[in-house]
């Protein structure tokens, strides 16, 4: 996110471990040489979101903000942010001024459940990735909350940015029918979410 006039900006997520140089090059082109972000903010600590967080935070020497339960990011350097509904898989961010939603993985704009989907990146409104969603009950609540915001632009952790009334209609449809569309029926965490400290839980080890 950035404000062009003030030349201030915040980096949200840092991609893969190989993304650091590309992010720095793009930042220099967009904001100018030696213009550091005000902070780095993480939606989650997965390798495809936090892969370059340590190198970029050290290079720019800027504060890092992460969910309290994601403090493993950068060796506990992260500072707390407001917990999202769908903890710990995504911390969405909302900018009211232009109704921009940075959704993390709370919702994504392409399928991620097969190699073909990941490569094709076909635009579609989709629930969170099934391969790591430990609490589908909270995931459903998050989708409903995000739909109620009526976003003009959705930027997600996977897929292309999408905007327009049709996208909002698709998001409302997903919220209304997420159990049929997004939730893997009979999956391990469908009705029995993983939670820290829960007996037999292995999702947070």
């Amino acid at each position: 996110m950035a404000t062009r006039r003030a030349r201030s900006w915040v980096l949200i997520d840092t991609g893969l471990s190989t993304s650091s140089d590309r992010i720095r090059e793009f930042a220099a082109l967009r904001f100018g040489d030696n213009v550091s972000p005000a902070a780095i903010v993480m939606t989650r600590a997965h390798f495809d979101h936090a892969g370059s967080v340590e190198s970029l935070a050290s290079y720019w020497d800027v504060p890092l903000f992460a969910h309290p339960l994601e403090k493993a990011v950068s060796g506990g350097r992260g500072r707390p942010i407001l917990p999202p509904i769908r903890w710990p898989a995504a911390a969405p961010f909302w900018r009211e001024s232009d109704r921009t939603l940075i959704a993390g993985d709370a919702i994504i704009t392409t399928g991620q459940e097969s190699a073909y989907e990941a490569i094709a990146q076909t635009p579609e409104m989709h629930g969170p990735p099934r391969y790591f969603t430990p609490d589908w009950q909270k995931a459903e609540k998050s989708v409903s909350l995000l739909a109620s915001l009526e976003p003009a632009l959705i930027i997600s952790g996977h897929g292309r940015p999408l905007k327009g009334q049709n996208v909002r209609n698709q998001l409302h449809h997903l919220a209304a029918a997420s159990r049929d569309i997004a939730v893997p029926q009979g999956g391990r965490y469908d009705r029995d979410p993983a939670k820290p400290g829960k007996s037999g839980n292995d999702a947070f080890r």
Side-chain angles (χ1 to χ4, degrees):
M1 280 190 167
T3 55
R4 184 181 294 272
R5 175 182 293 180
R7 291 173 60 84
S8 64
W9 62 289
V10 172
L11 178 64
I12 299 179
D13 286 352
T14 64
L16 298 166
S17 61
T18 56
S19 301
S20 179
D21 288 346
R22 185 177 180 185
I23 291 172
R24 287 163 49 186
E25 290 170 5
F26 182 83
L29 288 172
R30 174 66 174 79
F31 302 106
D33 293 332
N34 302 316
V35 179
S36 301
I40 296 175
V41 182
M42 304 304 302
T43 67
R44 67 186 308 179
H46 268 196
F47 73 95
D48 55 339
H49 295 255
S52 295
V53 65
E54 292 189 53
S55 61
L56 290 174
S58 297
Y59 175 77
W60 280 314
D61 192 23
V62 295
L64 168 64
F65 293 86
H67 188 284
L69 293 171
E70 300 274 27
K71 289 189 71 174
V73 174
S74 193
R77 178 177 172 177
R79 301 181 186 178
I81 59 174
L82 181 66
I85 282 184
R86 189 183 164 257
W87 166 83
F93 297 95
W94 172 247
R95 186 164 64 186
E96 180 68 31
S97 61
D98 57 3
R99 310 195 71 77
T100 293
L101 172 64
I102 298 181
D105 284 358
I107 53 175
I108 57 177
T109 58
T110 192
Q112 282 291 113
E113 272 63 59
S114 72
Y116 173 78
E117 287 180 314
I119 294 172
Q121 295 285 287
T122 302
E124 65 177 66
M125 195 56 59
H126 201 282
R130 293 182 176 182
Y131 48 78
F132 190 80
T133 297
D135 191 332
W136 282 102
Q137 295 171 30
K138 287 186 177 180
E140 291 181 83
K141 291 179 181 179
S142 288
V143 173
S144 295
L145 173 63
L146 297 181
S148 72
L149 296 174
E150 301 288 350
L153 173 66
I154 298 174
I155 303 171
S156 74
H158 301 275
R160 304 172 186 174
L162 298 179
K163 63 181 179 179
Q165 184 59 51
N166 184 52
V167 172
R168 287 191 289 276
N169 292 342
Q170 291 181 40
L171 180 54
H172 280 289
H173 177 64
L174 176 64
S178 62
R179 175 141 294 275
D180 296 325
I181 297 172
V183 180
Q185 302 301 310
R188 178 174 182 181
Y189 302 126
D190 179 6
R191 297 291 187 182
D192 185 25
K195 296 179 180 180
K198 182 178 177 180
S199 177
N201 166 55
D202 63 359
F204 299 97
R205 292 179 184 171

